[in-house]
Amino acid sequence: MSPLTSPLHERHAAAGAKFADFGGWSMPIEYAGGGVLAEHTSVREGVGLFDVSHLGTATVRGPGAAAYVNACLTNDLGKIGPGQAQYTLCCVADGQPDAGGVVDDLIVYLHGPDDVLLVPNAANAADVLARLAADAPAGVTVTDRHTEVAVLALQGPRSAEVLAAVGLPGGLDYMSFAETPGTGGDEVTVCRTGYTGEHGYELLVAADRAGRLWDALLAAGAPEQIRPCGLGARDTLRTEMGYPLHGHELARDITPNQARSGWAVGWQKEAFWGREALQAEKAAGPARRLWGLQAPGRGIPRPGMAVLDGDGARIGEVTSGTFSPTLRTGIALALLDTTSGVAEGSEVSVDVRGRPQPVVVRRPPFVESHVR
């Protein structure tokens, strides 16, 4: 089956983008004229524009839709109000294999008690929506809008100035959103969030209007030296922040407790999928926990590499690893056994093709966050 493409695909190709598969979508990984390092720096120091239309979009609507979603996903929607968004997790339900493991992480946009928008990851969108549809009460409808809606991410310390230049609201509180007319009167949902650790926004617009918004943002951002950015830079940016990526730091065999994502669990809620398994694991203590690793030398830890203690015994595995353009060294995220006794500052090593590469255990983020 041919991969799906973004409504902006032709624009990316014209800009010299290199493409890669992301959850069945052909998406730009980097652009000609700088590549990942330049795009990463643009976001940290100025502003960058990403196409993340591979992310899923779906609506859950009907009487009590928000309450239903709240009884399924981990975080507590009761803590936010209409016009706010929330990071949450879809976990495997109790009584199923891998109960408490993470099916996906996603953002919930709360429009009202009967209207919720979900933004899951591309590869898992169909699974999440199928689980929600299977248990939906009468009158509640789950609708896949994946190909109807484009998602752009405008990220960096100069992002608010670019939004203002195209007439979109930038003065939003963190994790708040607004629906507003954009370029040419097109309705745009602007949310003050992102996946880079910088001040930024995610913009949802009808797929057939995405090109006009993309062009307007690049034109308005020219004085700020805006760059189109691919998913390669998105990965280096999120790794510097210690943000999890499903399939790496989150998975059906990795729980929120292990991934240090317990902050996105409404432990006091009466119900959510995987509640009993997660509470039991939390009480007993998880067998492994996510840590950061920083290489003092030139080596770069890569996913799947074994992490070794001082005696050469395996104590965990690298889940994500890359060169940090900000720190100019190798960094990684890794799941380490809790019985190993590692703590922040511990010196361990990564097995790089049979040779131990020294690394220091750190608690992410590796660089300062500016999201708020």
Side-chain angles (χ1 to χ4, degrees):
M1 181 181 294
S2 298
L4 296 169
T5 58
S6 158
L8 301 170
H9 183 82
E10 296 304 321
R11 283 172 167 80
H12 300 321
K18 295 180 181 178
F19 293 92
D21 180 86
F22 289 84
W25 288 66
S26 178
M27 299 298 294
I29 190 167
E30 64 177 302
Y31 294 85
V36 172
L37 293 181
E39 292 164 20
H40 179 109
T41 302
S42 224
V43 173
R44 286 279 180 254
E45 298 180 358
V47 60
L49 179 62
F50 299 81
D51 177 11
V52 288
S53 297
H54 63 303
L55 296 178
T57 47
T59 54
V60 184
R61 290 173 174 160
Y68 168 61
V69 170
N70 199 35
C72 298
L73 307 184
T74 61
N75 215 334
D76 188 356
L77 275 177
K79 293 181 178 179
I80 67 172
Q84 292 181 293
Q86 185 181 72
Y87 178 83
T88 190
L89 304 163
C90 173
C91 289
V92 179
D94 291 304
Q96 299 181 9
D98 295 324
V102 181
V103 177
D104 200 17
D105 59 335
L106 59 158
I107 300 290
V108 176
Y109 289 65
L110 181 61
H111 288 269
D114 304 329
D115 188 359
V116 172
L117 175 74
L118 308 178
V119 182
N121 287 294
N124 306 315
D127 192 358
V128 171
L129 301 190
R131 290 169 187 261
L132 287 167
D135 291 339
V140 172
T141 303
V142 180
T143 304
D144 185 354
R145 302 185 61 201
H146 203 157
T147 59
E148 300 173 24
V149 179
V151 186
L152 311 184
L154 186 70
Q155 300 284 300
R158 304 295 294 173
S159 55
E161 286 80 355
V162 177
L163 270 193
V166 297
L168 291 174
L172 300 170
D173 292 335
Y174 183 60
M175 296 300 284
S176 293
F177 67 90
E179 295 178 297
T180 182
T183 303
D186 302 332
E187 184 175 279
V188 180
T189 299
V190 180
C191 188
R192 222 325 243 110
T193 184
Y195 194 52
T196 65
E198 297 299 330
H199 184 107
Y201 307 84
E202 293 194 336
L203 314 174
L204 281 68
V205 64
D208 61 356
R209 308 297 176 87
R212 184 153 52 189
L213 179 59
W214 177 268
D215 293 344
L217 290 167
L218 288 178
E224 311 295 343
Q225 298 184 315
I226 192 172
R227 276 184 181 271
C229 299
L231 300 187
R234 183 175 163 90
D235 192 59
T236 57
L237 289 158
R238 71 93 189 170
T239 305
E240 287 186 345
M241 298 310 302
Y243 291 161
L245 176 64
H246 195 275
H248 293 255
E249 291 73 43
L250 297 168
R252 294 179 198 214
D253 62 348
I254 304 173
T255 69
N257 293 319
Q258 297 167 22
R260 296 188 186 272
S261 296
W263 61 269
V265 177
W267 296 106
Q268 303 307 313
K269 291 199 306 182
E270 292 184 1
F272 58 86
W273 292 335
R275 181 176 184 268
E276 292 181 10
L278 290 174
Q279 286 188 324
E281 183 188 47
K282 183 183 179 186
R288 54 186 181 168
R289 185 169 284 120
L290 192 69
W291 285 97
L293 306 175
Q294 184 169 342
R298 298 179 63 182
I300 302 174
R302 297 298 185 186
M305 290 181 174
V307 182
L308 313 174
D309 67 11
D311 297 323
R314 183 187 179 107
I315 59 170
E317 183 176 302
V318 174
T319 54
S320 293
T322 189
F323 174 77
S324 165
T326 303
L327 300 177
R328 311 300 294 180
T329 189
I331 59 172
L333 301 174
L335 283 166
L336 305 182
D337 299 340
T338 53
T339 56
S340 65
V342 297
E344 185 157 18
S346 295
E347 295 183 3
V348 295
S349 62
V350 173
D351 185 349
V352 182
R353 296 181 293 278
R355 299 179 61 182
Q357 165 72 47
V359 291
V360 177
V361 175
R362 289 192 52 183
R363 185 161 182 167
F366 294 95
V367 300
E368 185 178 356
S369 172
H370 300 107
V371 296
R372 296 181 186 276

